[in-house]
Amino acid sequence: MVSKTDDIPASVPNCNSVDPAEGDTPDSNETTKTVLKDPCGCAHSADTAMMNGNGGHDHSEEADSKQEGSGADADPGEEANEQEVIVIQDTGFTVKIQAPGTEPFDLQVSPQEMVQEIHQVLMDREDTCHRTCFSLQLDGNVLDNFAELKSIEGLQEGSVLKVVEEPYTVREARIHVRHIRDLLKSMDPSDAYNGVDCNSLSFLSVFTDGDLGDSGKRKKKGSELEQIDCTPPEHILPGSKERPLVPLQPQNKDWKPLQCLKVLTMSGWNPPPGNRKMHGDLMYLYIVTVEERHVSLTASTRGFYLNQSTTYSFNPKPANPSFLSHSLVELLSQISPAFKKNFTALQKKRVQRHPFERIATPFQVYSWTAPQIDHAMDCVRAEDAYTSRLGYEEHIPGQTRDWNEELQTTRELPRKNLPERLLRERAIFKVHSDFAAAATRGAMAVIDGNVMAINPGEETRMQMFIWNNIFFSLGFDVRDHYRELGGDAAAHAAPTNDLNGVRAYGAVDVEGLYTLGTVVVDYRGYRVTAQSIIPGILEREQEQSVIYGSIDFGKTVVSHPKYLELLEKTSRPLKVQRHAVLNEKEAPVELCSSVECKGIIGNDGRHYILDLLRTFPPDLNFLPVDGEELPPECQRLGFPRQHRHRLACLRQELIEAFVEHRYLLFMKMAALQLMQQKANKDNKVAAVTDGTNAEPEGTSAAPQNATPASDSATPNSAATPSESTATPAETNQTPPESQPAEADTANSAPATAAVATEATKEQAKAPAVTTNGTPEPAAHDEQARECESPLEGKEAEENIPGLAQAKELAESLAAEDGSSIDPKSREVVLNACKAVGSISDTSFDIRFNPDIFSPGVRFLDSSADAIQKQKQLLKDAAAFLVSCQIPSLVKDCLDHSALPMDGATLTEALHQRGINIRYLGTVLDFVDKTPAKTQLEYFYRIGVTELITRCAKHIFKTYLQGVELSALSAAVSHFLNCFLSSFPDAVAHLPADELVSRRKNRKRRNRVPGGGDNTTWSSLTPAELWKNIVSEAQTYYHFTLQGESVDQAVEKYGLHKITLLREISVKAGIQILIKEYNFDSRHKPAFTEEDILNIFPVVKHVNPKASDAFHFFQSGQAKVQQGFLKEGCELINEALNLFNNVYGAMHMEICACLRLLARLNYIMGDHPEALNNQQKAVLMSERVLGIEHPNTIQEYMHLALYCFANGQLSTALKLLYRARYLMLMVCGEDHPEMALLDSNIGLVLHGVMEYDLSLRFLENALAINSKYHGPRSLKVALSHHLVARVYESKAEFRSALQHEKEGYTIYKNQVGEAHEKTKESSEYLKYLTQQAVALQRTMNEIYKNGSNASIMPLKFTAPSMASVLEQLNIINGIIFIPLSQKDLENLKAEVQRRQMLQEASKSEETSEDVPTELDDKLPVDD
C-alpha cells in the first residue's frame, strides 16, 4: 500500500490494549441494517452522512437509559458528552418515494440528513439508478437540495416524496453521462488497479462466495458434515519453499464484465453550433452497440434522442423514431436488446456486492501488482485527462477550488458542543482528503511535465509551479538555502519534517493560528511539496511579509506580540520553551518556536505559520557538535554519528515518552522526600528514618511503616498497592500471559531498589543508587538508565509502596500557587524539579528550546545557565532513546506485545516509541547482542529486509532522476534485475529510437524535471548495485551487511526475494505485472520491460482525527477491560456512529472499531452479528490498508473463527488458507504469528477429521511456539495438548501420551500441581493411558484368537465441534477472567436460562454457544 497515511493506529497486530488497534469498532445494528437494506446510501459521495442517517439509533430508549445509567461515569473527561449525544440520536422515520415507472417504495431517513442524500440513495438503487436529473417534491413543492430534512415543513412519517424529472443543462447532461459510465464500469476493477478515484481492491468475496450472512447457511448445522475439500494448495503447506505471486489476486468471476456497449464517447461534432443551441442541443454522443449498430445521440434539455448525423456528415435533426427518453439508459434499452439484458444483470450484481466493496476510500490506495488489463475506450477518463479539472470539480461553482480558504474556514467552524464538533471535524476531514487527492494529481502533472513553471527561465531544479491553486516546489536545495545543513539531503528531509510540524500544530488546534495545507509526494525519483497558498503572498517579497521568525536561519530575526500570544498556547502541549535570541543588531528577540518558523499575516488577516521543520528539538545522536560530550550510554554505542544533513530531529512520540518518564521520576522523588519529612515530624522517631537511609536495600516497607500515624488522609498501607495499581491506565499493558515468576520479581526487586534510589537522593548531590543497584556518580545519567530494571518504566513505578499518597501531595503542591505551602514541602519540590530538569522551580514542567545547537542562532549571555540546562536536557533525551526506548521495543517484541510483520508495521513499532528509522541499524545491532537473540530472529529478518530495501530505494531515487520518460519501464525493470535477479550480467534494453530523440532534445534548453536524456542508468550492474547498497547501509544506518551479492545476503539472513520485491515496489511506487518471476535463473533476467506496468506516487499527508469518537472508543475499551461488556458495547457502538459521521463509511479507525465490536458480539454469544461486523472489518482493511497488509491478515483470522462458530467450516478453512498465503508472502513462515495461524488451521482440520493434514500444521505451530516463546512456555504446553488430541483421534496413543506428558510437565513447573490446567492435563493423561491399554488388550485378543475374537468396540470419536471451538477460543486469546459478584449473579441466571432452553429443544450441540468455563469467568479481549 503506497499511500503512507501517517499514523495508522490499526496496523500493528496485537498492540497493547491502549492502542486503538485492538480497538472497538462500533457499528450499531441499525447502521448495519441500513447498509444492507439500501446499499446505496454511502455509494458515491464520501461526505454523505449516510451512516449517521438511519444508524442514528432507532431506539431512543436506549439513548435515554444510557443517560441515566452508565452515562455518568462513561467518560469523566467529557461531562457534557452524554447529554450532547442525545442530540444526534434523533430517531429516524420512513417516507414513501414515488418515481416514474417504478412502484412506490419506503425509505428510512433521519432528520439530520440533507435532501441531497436521498438523491444519492436513489442514484444508487437498482430500480432508480439511471436517473440523475430530478427534483424531489412534497405536495407539489420542490425541496431544496441542501436543506436538512428536519427543517422541511410537513415532512413526517409516511409522507410521499415524488421524483420529478427536470430539464437538463450542459452540466446536468455531463453528470448524467458520467454517472451512466460509472454504472457500466461498476464491476470493473481497472480503476482500482490504476489507482484512480479512490478505488481499491478487495478479494474477500472470492473466498466467502459472496455475502457471508446468507450463503453460509446452506447446510443444516449439526447434521453430518458434508464432504468438504480441505486440501490446501501445495505452496501453503508448512515447509513449502515456493512463494508464488499469482494467488495474491485470485480470479473474481464477477469481474468478467458483461459488455453492455462497445463504445460510448463524446461525438466529434461537439459543441453544438449556435442555431442548434437555440433548439436546446446541449452536446452530442457517439455510441456503438453490442450489435455493431453505430448511432449518434443528442443530449437536449428534454432528454436524449437519436439524431441523423454520421461520423462524417452532420445532421442534427431527430431520427425517426427518435426514442426521446429522459434517461440515456431508457433510450439505449430501446435500441439495443443486448444492452437491456446485460445492463439489468449488471445492476443486479452491483447491488448484491457488499457496499464496502465499492464505496470510495478517503485516500487513494495503490496496488503493487496488477494483471494485464485491456485498455478500453472511456469518454470520461479521456475528458478528465485533457482538462485540468479534478474528477468531480464541475460540481463546485467557480471551477477551481480555493484550497487555502476551504482548509482555513473549516478550522474556524464553531466547536462548542458535540454536533458542532462533528460537523467541524467532518468538514476538515473531507477537505483534507480532497486536497491530498488534488495535490497528488498536481505533483504527478508537474513531474510529467504537464504544468508550466512560474519561473520558466531558471534551470529545472529551481522551478516552482502553481496548478489548481496549489503551490508546488521540488525537493532540491535551490539558491544554496540549505548549504550549511547538508544541501540536497537536507532539502529532501525538510518537507517531511515540516509536515510533522504541520501535523503537530494541527493536532493542538489553537484558535487563530493557521498552518498551510501540506502534502509531500515522491514520484519518479523526485520529491514534490504541495502547499496551499497564503492569500497575497505571491504579490510581495518574502522579506516584507515575514513578521515573525527568520528567513536566513537566524541571522536576522523578528518577533510579533500576537504571534507570541498564539504560540504561547501551543508551547505546553508541544513542549516548546519560550526563549530569547539575539538579532543582527545584538538586541534580544522573544520567540516561542524555532527561528526557522515564519509568521506571515495573509491578505485575509489570518496569522499563518510555515516552515515548521524544527518544531521538535534536534537529535544529538546524529548531530556532532564540537566541544559537547554525549552521555556515556550514547558514546558506548558510537554516537554521535555524522548524518547526511543537520535536520535530524527527535520525534514527538519520544518527547512525550521522555517527559512522562521524567514526571514519574519527579513524583517518586517528591513522594519519598515528603514521606521522610512526615515521618520525622509526626513520629519524631529518628530511628525509623535512619533505618531507611542506612539500609537502602532493606525492606521496601520501611518508609511506609513510618506513615500510618502521620495523617488520617493517607490510606493505610494495606490499601496502597491495590490503589496504585487501580489508578493508572497503564496496568492494562501487562501482557496477558505474564508468568507468575516474572510478577514476583516485579513486586520486590525493582521496587526496593527504586525506593532506595530516591531515599538516598534527598540531596541531589549524594551518589545515587540506580535501579540496578550500581552506584552512579551524577543524577542526570541515572535517570536515563532508570528503565533498565527488569520491568520497564511504568509497571515498576506502580509497585512502589506509598506512591499513591505522595501523588496526591505532589499534585496539591502543583495545584496551589505555592503561598500556602510550608517551606519544607516547597524545598522538596524544588529539589525534585532541579533533579529532573524542569524549567519551573515550583511545579513539574519540561520544555525544549528547539534552537539549541542551530548554527547561526545566538543567545543572550545572561541566559547561559538556562541554555546549559537545555543542552543537558537534549543529551538526556538522546540517551533516553538509546538506553530506554530501544530496549523497551525489544522487550515488547520478546513478550509479544509488539509483533511487526513487515516493513510498514516495523516502522510503525519504532515510531510509536519515538525511535526514528535512522536508528534501524542500531536497533538491529542491539537485537544481535541480546541474549534471547533466537526469540527475535523474525524481528531481525524483517529489520534487515527493511534496511536493504530502504537503501535500494535511496539509490533508486537518484537512479530514476536520470531517466527520460520513454525509457522508464526499461530502466525500472533493469534496476529490479540488478537488485533481485541471480542473472549475473543484466543488460538494459535501450529504447530503439535512442539516437533520434537525442538530436531532438538538444534544441530544447528547458526540459521538464523528469526529462533527463542520459543513458547512464543502463550501465548499472548487479555487483555495483549491491556494493552501493552495502555502502549506503554503512553510511546511513551504520550497519554492516554481510555477503558479496544479494543472493548471499538472502542466504545469510534467511530473506525471501518475493518479500524484498514487495517491499521495494511498495516503497518506490512500482506496479508490476502479476505472474511468476524466476529470480534464481542464471540464464535470463527475471524482469522484462513489459512487466513494469506503472509508477505510482508515494504520498504523505496529515490525517485529521475524530476526537470525540476516539474518546468514546477509548472509554468503551476501558469498560470492556473492566468486564462491563454491555456498557462497553454501547459506548463502542456510539463511537462507531461518530466515526461514520466524521470519516464517512471507510476508515482505518472504523475498521478497528468493527473488529472490537465483532469480538464483543462473539464473547456475548451473538455469533451471526460477530460475523457480520467482522466481515465489514475485513473488507475495510483490504480496501483502506491493502489486500496483504498485516492488519488484513489478522482480520481474516478473526473472521475465520467466527465462521467456524457459525458452522461455516469450509469458508473458515478458505479464509485461514488465504491468511497463511498472505503471511508467507509478507514475512515468511518463521514468525510467532504463524504459530497461532497454524494452530487455527490444525484445529479446524482436526474438526473435519483431516488428521494427517492437521498434524502437519499443529506440529509446525509447536515448533514455532517452542522457538519464540521458549520450550517452557504455557503456549507450548497448549500446543503439545493440541497435537496429543489429534494423535488420540488417530488412535496413536503412544505419540499422544508423549506430547501430553510434555505439556503436563510444563504446567506442573510453571503453575504448580494445584492449578486447574495441571489437573486437566493429568486427567487427560489418565484417559489416554486407559485408551492405550484398551487398545493393546484388543490387539492381544486379535493375535490370540485370530479372526473370531470378541472385540470390544473401541471409542474413536471425531472431536465435537464444541470442543474444537473451545480450543479455538483459547488459542485466539479469548480468555476468561473473574468478575464482580453482581455480574456473576446475572451471568449464572443467563447460563441457567440458556441451559433450560437447550434442554427444552434437546439440541445435540449443547456447548456450542456457551463456552464451558462460563460459570465463574468471562472472556475478554486480550
Side-chain angles (χ1 to χ4, degrees):
M1 180 195 112
V2 186
S3 162
K4 290 193 185 146
T5 39
D6 282 271
D7 12 25
I8 302 186
S11 54
V12 177
N14 271 349
C15 334
N16 303 346
S17 41
V18 189
D19 197 273
E22 205 39 59
D24 329 352
T25 335
D27 179 358
S28 60
N29 316 359
E30 296 88 88
T31 312
T32 317
K33 285 183 216 138
T34 331
V35 180
L36 298 178
K37 189 169 59 208
D38 49 74
C40 17
C42 28
H44 292 296
S45 70
D47 48 349
T48 55
M50 164 313 163
M51 296 295 205
N52 132 32
N54 349 8
H57 278 270
D58 300 26
H59 329 326
S60 47
E61 68 268 18
E62 181 177 321
D64 303 337
S65 67
K66 177 123 107 285
Q67 203 181 346
E68 303 143 20
S70 68
D73 52 15
D75 187 351
E78 307 268 328
E79 302 84 12
N81 257 358
E82 293 299 329
Q83 285 72 30
E84 293 168 1
V85 171
I86 309 306
V87 185
I88 304 182
Q89 296 180 338
D90 293 343
T91 41
F93 57 94
T94 309
V95 293
K96 240 188 185 24
I97 304 277
Q98 200 175 345
T102 54
E103 293 291 304
F105 57 88
D106 288 342
L107 185 67
Q108 251 237 284
V109 292
S110 114
Q112 253 71 39
E113 277 180 47
M114 287 190 190
V115 176
Q116 193 186 12
E117 292 169 41
I118 301 184
H119 271 253
Q120 292 289 348
V121 171
L122 295 179
M123 282 166 63
D124 203 76
R125 261 184 84 93
E126 192 181 344
D127 46 3
T128 54
C129 64
H130 54 277
R131 305 184 180 283
T132 59
C133 186
F134 58 87
S135 61
L136 291 168
Q137 299 189 359
L138 176 65
D139 308 329
N141 300 327
V142 177
L143 305 184
D144 166 20
N145 246 345
F146 293 102
E148 288 196 347
L149 297 186
K150 60 176 178 230
S151 64
I152 295 166
E153 266 180 62
L155 183 63
Q156 62 206 28
E157 180 73 38
S159 297
V160 176
L161 292 180
K162 283 183 82 167
V163 173
V164 180
E165 297 175 339
E166 292 289 331
Y168 282 99
T169 59
V170 176
R171 175 172 175 271
E172 283 292 350
R174 273 171 189 271
I175 288 175
H176 185 76
V177 173
R178 195 177 266 278
H179 179 64
I180 300 304
R181 174 263 179 200
D182 284 344
L183 291 176
L184 293 176
K185 301 236 332 189
S186 57
M187 300 297 287
D188 179 358
S190 55
D191 280 358
Y193 286 124
N194 294 329
V196 285
D197 283 353
C198 289
N199 284 303
S200 58
L201 298 167
S202 163
F203 290 102
L204 176 63
S205 55
V206 179
F207 300 99
T208 56
D209 299 326
D211 197 14
L212 277 170
D214 342 307
S215 61
K217 289 277 181 274
R218 279 192 298 260
K219 53 176 187 297
K220 238 180 91 240
K221 230 166 117 191
S223 62
E224 262 314 292
L225 292 178
E226 56 175 52
Q227 266 319 153
I228 312 170
D229 179 26
C230 307
T231 33
E234 271 299 306
H235 60 262
I236 290 179
L237 288 172
S240 162
K241 287 279 170 278
E242 273 182 273
R243 294 271 186 279
L245 184 56
V246 173
L248 180 60
Q249 297 189 1
Q251 284 302 302
N252 190 334
K253 49 183 186 309
D254 285 346
W255 287 353
K256 291 282 163 276
L258 293 159
Q259 202 182 25
C260 300
L261 285 177
K262 286 202 166 160
V263 177
L264 156 62
T265 166
M266 299 292 173
S267 156
W269 297 116
N270 280 320
N275 62 330
R276 289 306 306 169
K277 251 191 194 154
M278 298 163 79
H279 281 88
D281 291 9
L282 303 171
M283 62 182 187
Y284 305 117
L285 302 169
Y286 173 67
I287 283 177
V288 181
T289 66
V290 179
E291 297 89 349
E292 274 299 327
R293 181 174 172 193
H294 294 240
V295 287
S296 275
L297 306 184
T298 300
S300 74
T301 48
R302 293 181 308 148
F304 296 82
Y305 61 81
L306 296 192
N307 62 34
Q308 299 176 30
S309 302
T310 64
T311 320
Y312 299 113
S313 70
F314 179 60
N315 181 357
K317 297 269 190 303
N320 193 6
S322 71
F323 298 115
L324 172 66
S325 317
H326 191 263
S327 134
L328 197 49
V329 172
E330 290 167 357
L331 169 69
L332 293 169
S333 301
Q334 291 176 64
I335 62 170
S336 162
F339 177 86
K340 185 173 184 177
K341 179 171 148 251
N342 289 348
F343 186 78
T344 321
L346 185 70
Q347 294 322 308
K348 269 211 169 43
K349 264 190 177 164
R350 176 180 69 87
V351 184
Q352 280 162 4
R353 288 175 76 193
H354 195 289
F356 285 4
E357 291 182 62
R358 46 204 188 87
I359 303 169
T361 58
F363 299 103
Q364 185 64 58
V365 176
Y366 299 100
S367 164
W368 65 278
T369 51
Q372 199 72 59
I373 336 172
D374 300 328
H375 189 57
M377 225 186 233
D378 184 340
C379 61
V380 174
R381 285 271 164 271
E383 182 191 28
D384 280 357
Y386 288 114
T387 55
S388 70
R389 291 202 196 94
L390 260 150
Y392 285 100
E393 217 76 276
E394 56 267 37
H395 287 263
I396 292 151
Q399 302 305 328
T400 55
R401 297 169 66 168
D402 181 344
W403 291 110
N404 190 64
E405 191 52 32
E406 285 192 46
L407 286 161
Q408 312 310 351
T409 35
T410 50
R411 286 245 174 239
E412 287 164 351
L413 291 170
R415 43 175 151 176
K416 286 194 257 330
N417 54 26
L418 186 67
E420 284 186 352
R421 281 196 299 272
L422 285 177
L423 207 74
R424 174 176 185 264
E425 286 177 345
R426 180 166 145 198
I428 290 175
F429 184 74
K430 182 76 182 95
V431 174
H432 267 284
S433 76
D434 289 356
F435 178 69
T440 307
R441 192 170 154 174
M444 291 167 73
V446 163
I447 298 300
D448 289 338
N450 303 338
V451 181
M452 176 80 175
I454 51 178
N455 50 346
E458 312 210 21
E459 64 161 310
T460 339
R461 296 164 52 105
M462 305 182 66
Q463 291 179 349
M464 292 171 283
F465 305 82
I466 288 181
W467 176 87
N468 195 8
N469 281 326
I470 305 175
F471 173 77
F472 297 93
S473 52
L474 300 171
F476 293 117
D477 181 17
V478 290
R479 305 196 179 78
D480 286 343
H481 188 61
Y482 291 106
R483 192 174 58 197
E484 318 248 298
L485 298 168
D488 279 349
H492 189 264
T496 44
N497 277 5
D498 183 37
L499 181 65
N500 287 334
V502 170
R503 186 178 298 124
Y505 278 102
V508 176
D509 212 2
V510 167
E511 241 170 290
L513 187 65
Y514 298 89
T515 54
L516 304 183
T518 309
V519 174
V520 179
V521 181
D522 289 303
Y523 177 62
R524 284 180 49 192
Y526 293 89
R527 172 158 282 182
V528 185
T529 310
Q531 289 170 311
S532 61
I533 301 169
I534 297 179
I537 188 154
L538 297 169
E539 290 96 80
R540 11 176 207 175
E541 277 294 312
Q542 203 184 14
E543 284 79 19
Q544 301 154 3
S545 40
V546 172
I547 58 163
Y548 171 89
S550 160
I551 55 170
D552 46 20
F553 293 105
K555 293 184 187 64
T556 55
V557 194
V558 285
S559 186
H560 188 277
K562 179 68 181 161
Y563 271 103
L564 282 174
E565 175 200 330
L566 288 168
L567 287 166
E568 186 67 50
K569 293 179 189 161
T570 65
S571 91
R572 189 170 202 117
L574 295 180
K575 319 280 187 285
V576 177
Q577 191 190 4
R578 185 163 169 166
H579 58 280
V581 300
L582 293 172
N583 63 10
E584 71 288 2
K585 304 192 182 82
E586 302 297 320
V589 179
E590 281 279 312
L591 293 178
C592 196
S593 66
S594 69
V595 283
E596 289 84 7
C597 167
K598 303 172 191 36
I600 296 181
I601 298 184
N603 286 359
D604 52 3
R606 294 189 179 109
H607 292 75
Y608 292 93
I609 49 170
L610 52 153
D611 287 352
L612 307 174
L613 51 141
R614 284 203 199 247
T615 303
F616 298 109
D619 178 356
L620 294 193
N621 287 330
F622 284 92
L623 188 73
V625 182
D626 294 338
E628 294 290 345
E629 284 262 307
L630 283 185
E633 52 269 52
C634 296
Q635 292 184 12
R636 275 202 294 276
L637 292 168
F639 292 111
R641 292 176 177 163
Q642 201 62 48
H643 198 51
R644 290 222 165 130
H645 54 78
R646 301 181 65 83
L647 292 180
C649 294
L650 297 171
R651 292 184 65 84
Q652 188 172 10
E653 297 92 335
L654 184 87
I655 301 296
E656 303 280 330
F658 176 70
V659 171
E660 190 182 339
H661 171 236
R662 281 290 164 102
Y663 179 64
L664 285 165
L665 199 68
F666 168 80
M667 277 306 182
K668 289 194 315 199
M669 296 183 64
L672 280 136
Q673 293 185 43
L674 282 166
M675 288 168 67
Q676 287 180 349
Q677 286 189 3
K678 274 221 155 58
N680 293 338
K681 192 170 66 189
D682 297 353
N683 298 5
K684 298 274 189 302
V685 183
V688 180
T689 30
D690 288 353
T692 6
N693 285 339
E695 13 174 79
E697 294 293 358
T699 132
S700 58
Q704 221 182 325
N705 301 344
T707 37
S710 64
D711 188 342
S712 56
T714 342
N716 62 14
S717 37
T720 340
S722 65
E723 268 200 20
S724 62
T725 18
T727 32
E730 287 96 58
T731 38
N732 305 345
Q733 287 186 342
T734 35
E737 208 202 324
S738 65
Q739 323 235 301
E742 188 177 306
D744 295 349
T745 50
N747 288 334
S748 53
T752 342
V755 171
T757 310
E758 309 314 347
T760 32
K761 243 180 126 181
E762 200 166 6
Q763 296 78 23
K765 290 143 202 113
V769 183
T770 67
T771 18
N772 295 346
T774 45
E776 257 333 305
H780 297 297
D781 320 328
E782 184 263 321
Q783 297 116 15
R785 262 180 226 88
E786 246 282 304
C787 283
E788 289 174 14
S789 67
L791 266 176
E792 214 283 280
K794 293 180 187 138
E795 290 102 309
E797 320 299 354
E798 298 318 332
N799 299 319
I800 295 173
L803 189 63
Q805 302 104 303
K807 266 202 170 142
E808 290 166 27
L809 294 163
E811 270 155 13
S812 68
L813 283 174
E816 296 165 33
D817 54 356
S819 49
S820 59
I821 304 171
D822 66 295
K824 275 237 171 93
S825 313
R826 202 175 299 160
E827 180 196 352
V828 167
V829 176
L830 177 70
N831 288 341
C833 283
K834 273 203 184 124
V836 297
S838 162
I839 56 169
S840 140
D841 283 346
T842 52
S843 68
F844 175 83
D845 189 357
I846 285 190
R847 303 189 198 185
F848 292 88
N849 175 344
D851 285 331
I852 304 273
F853 299 124
S854 293
V857 177
R858 297 167 310 140
F859 299 102
L860 285 71
D861 297 341
S862 58
S863 62
D865 248 10
I867 298 300
Q868 204 39 54
K869 260 192 187 163
Q870 279 294 329
K871 286 184 175 174
Q872 189 53 53
L873 208 52
L874 283 179
K875 291 176 187 173
D876 291 351
F880 173 73
L881 196 157
V882 291
S883 65
C884 259
Q885 294 304 83
I886 293 180
S888 108
L889 166 73
V890 172
K891 177 187 159 297
D892 285 348
C893 291
L894 276 172
D895 64 25
H896 301 273
S897 52
L899 275 179
M901 256 195 228
D902 68 344
T905 43
L906 173 73
T907 306
E908 195 167 322
L910 266 78
H911 284 173
Q912 274 176 350
R913 291 160 183 79
I915 305 167
N916 311 68
I917 280 294
R918 57 176 172 270
Y919 285 96
L920 186 55
T922 313
V923 172
L924 290 176
D925 287 336
F926 184 87
V927 169
D928 202 26
K929 294 191 180 78
T930 308
K933 183 180 160 188
T934 46
Q935 292 186 26
L936 291 166
E937 221 168 86
Y938 76 96
F939 182 90
Y940 194 71
R941 182 181 317 108
I942 294 168
V944 172
T945 305
E946 180 71 350
L947 192 131
I948 292 177
T949 42
R950 277 180 182 266
C951 293
K953 179 189 76 173
H954 295 171
I955 297 161
F956 185 61
K957 186 185 76 196
T958 41
Y959 170 88
L960 269 192
Q961 290 177 6
V963 179
E964 64 169 6
L965 196 47
S966 63
L968 206 51
S969 56
V972 175
S973 64
H974 178 62
F975 183 89
L976 290 178
N977 279 329
C978 292
F979 181 34
L980 294 172
S981 177
S982 304
F983 182 56
D985 28 75
V987 178
H989 299 278
L990 293 175
D993 55 356
E994 198 52 44
L995 296 168
V996 196
S997 62
R998 274 278 171 86
R999 197 166 295 141
K1000 277 197 190 134
N1001 273 344
R1002 289 254 159 75
K1003 306 206 176 93
R1004 293 182 44 220
R1005 196 176 117 262
N1006 233 331
R1007 279 190 310 279
V1008 300
D1013 61 347
N1014 61 16
T1015 53
T1016 45
W1017 60 266
S1018 59
S1019 58
L1020 183 72
T1021 64
E1024 183 194 349
L1025 176 59
W1026 181 249
K1027 215 167 76 210
N1028 292 347
I1029 288 177
V1030 172
S1031 82
E1032 179 74 7
Q1034 191 56 57
T1035 52
Y1036 195 90
Y1037 295 107
H1038 301 271
F1039 184 78
T1040 313
L1041 277 174
Q1042 311 289 323
E1044 298 296 307
S1045 67
V1046 73
D1047 286 343
Q1048 288 183 20
V1050 164
E1051 196 58 37
K1052 162 119 180 52
Y1053 297 108
L1055 314 177
H1056 301 286
K1057 284 194 174 176
I1058 194 87
T1059 308
L1060 286 167
L1061 175 65
R1062 171 179 177 262
E1063 293 284 357
I1064 186 77
S1065 304
V1066 169
K1067 286 182 181 49
I1070 305 168
Q1071 188 185 51
I1072 59 167
L1073 180 64
I1074 188 158
K1075 66 170 205 189
E1076 297 315 339
Y1077 291 97
N1078 181 1
F1079 299 110
D1080 301 328
S1081 158
R1082 306 199 57 82
H1083 306 295
K1084 66 181 213 305
F1087 300 89
T1088 68
E1089 49 190 291
E1090 299 309 311
D1091 296 331
I1092 310 298
L1093 299 183
N1094 211 337
I1095 286 207
F1096 287 129
V1098 176
V1099 186
K1100 300 182 179 69
H1101 53 81
V1102 177
N1103 228 349
K1105 288 273 170 278
S1107 53
D1108 287 291
F1110 196 61
H1111 287 311
F1112 272 95
F1113 183 59
Q1114 283 180 314
S1115 31
Q1117 273 179 307
K1119 280 264 175 264
V1120 171
Q1121 270 148 9
Q1122 292 156 17
F1124 302 112
L1125 298 192
K1126 196 151 172 13
E1127 290 94 323
C1129 212
E1130 279 173 18
L1131 282 166
I1132 283 159
N1133 265 316
E1134 199 44 69
L1136 182 62
N1137 265 338
L1138 304 186
F1139 275 134
N1140 279 324
N1141 232 311
V1142 174
Y1143 296 141
M1146 299 293 266
H1147 195 273
M1148 270 118 34
E1149 286 172 25
I1150 299 182
C1151 174
C1153 231
L1154 285 165
R1155 175 192 331 149
L1156 187 55
L1157 207 56
R1159 193 145 186 162
L1160 286 173
N1161 295 138
Y1162 181 68
I1163 286 169
M1164 283 153 56
D1166 187 350
H1167 295 173
E1169 190 55 27
L1171 196 56
N1172 182 4
N1173 282 326
Q1174 188 58 33
Q1175 180 185 9
K1176 290 183 192 166
V1178 175
L1179 286 169
M1180 202 171 294
S1181 185
E1182 287 194 303
R1183 295 281 323 278
V1184 179
L1185 295 169
I1187 53 172
E1188 82 286 356
H1189 190 280
N1191 187 65
T1192 308
I1193 301 176
Q1194 298 273 326
E1195 304 294 11
Y1196 263 101
M1197 285 164 66
H1198 293 309
L1199 184 61
L1201 172 65
Y1202 308 151
C1203 275
F1204 186 88
N1206 270 312
Q1208 306 178 16
L1209 308 189
S1210 60
T1211 309
L1213 264 178
K1214 281 188 207 158
L1215 295 169
L1216 287 168
Y1217 288 159
R1218 170 69 171 170
R1220 192 171 208 276
Y1221 166 74
L1222 292 175
M1223 202 146 154
L1224 287 171
M1225 173 89 189
V1226 166
C1227 63
E1229 195 163 53
D1230 185 20
H1231 190 283
E1233 276 295 279
M1234 193 55 102
L1236 175 60
L1237 186 47
D1238 281 354
S1239 303
N1240 273 305
I1241 297 177
L1243 272 168
V1244 177
L1245 286 169
H1246 185 200
V1248 296
M1249 308 194 322
E1250 288 278 352
Y1251 302 135
D1252 292 334
L1253 262 180
S1254 170
L1255 273 176
R1256 288 187 70 170
F1257 286 102
L1258 288 176
E1259 286 180 327
N1260 191 50
L1262 173 60
I1264 295 177
N1265 271 335
S1266 313
K1267 174 173 177 180
Y1268 286 114
H1269 290 271
R1272 305 261 59 88
S1273 135
L1274 299 177
K1275 274 206 165 53
V1276 177
L1278 184 57
S1279 269
H1280 277 299
H1281 175 63
L1282 297 180
V1283 174
R1285 287 180 39 158
V1286 183
Y1287 275 124
E1288 178 213 336
S1289 301
K1290 289 182 68 177
E1292 295 183 16
F1293 295 111
R1294 185 167 294 156
S1295 310
L1297 274 164
Q1298 196 183 335
H1299 278 287
E1300 191 55 44
K1301 272 187 192 133
E1302 291 277 337
Y1304 174 72
T1305 319
I1306 296 176
Y1307 282 131
K1308 198 171 75 178
N1309 295 339
Q1310 295 291 344
V1311 292
E1313 296 272 4
H1315 195 277
E1316 58 183 312
K1317 281 282 177 215
T1318 321
K1319 287 180 186 156
E1320 272 172 33
S1321 181
S1322 101
E1323 287 298 308
Y1324 186 55
L1325 273 173
K1326 281 183 200 145
Y1327 166 74
L1328 284 176
T1329 317
Q1330 288 163 5
Q1331 289 295 84
V1333 171
L1335 177 69
Q1336 199 52 52
R1337 263 199 212 120
T1338 313
M1339 300 306 284
N1340 296 346
E1341 183 80 7
I1342 294 174
Y1343 289 138
K1344 204 163 66 194
N1345 299 351
S1347 54
N1348 55 356
S1350 57
I1351 302 173
M1352 283 280 295
L1354 275 173
K1355 297 196 309 244
F1356 289 140
T1357 46
S1360 74
M1361 285 302 125
S1363 70
V1364 173
L1365 187 62
E1366 187 191 327
Q1367 295 295 335
L1368 278 171
N1369 287 339
I1370 294 173
I1371 60 170
N1372 285 297
I1374 294 177
I1375 44 180
F1376 301 87
I1377 57 159
L1379 283 187
S1380 72
Q1381 213 36 53
K1382 197 179 90 192
D1383 287 326
L1384 285 180
E1385 248 84 273
N1386 300 349
L1387 205 63
K1388 283 197 172 125
E1390 172 73 284
V1391 173
Q1392 278 161 358
R1393 193 177 63 77
R1394 282 199 196 163
Q1395 279 167 351
M1396 280 155 66
L1397 282 175
Q1398 278 175 343
E1399 281 156 20
S1401 61
K1402 288 279 177 286
S1403 91
E1404 303 88 56
E1405 297 226 279
T1406 17
S1407 50
E1408 175 82 89
D1409 309 329
V1410 189
T1412 36
E1413 274 121 308
L1414 264 184
D1415 33 304
D1416 63 344
K1417 306 177 163 190
L1418 193 84
V1420 299
D1421 188 342
D1422 55 344

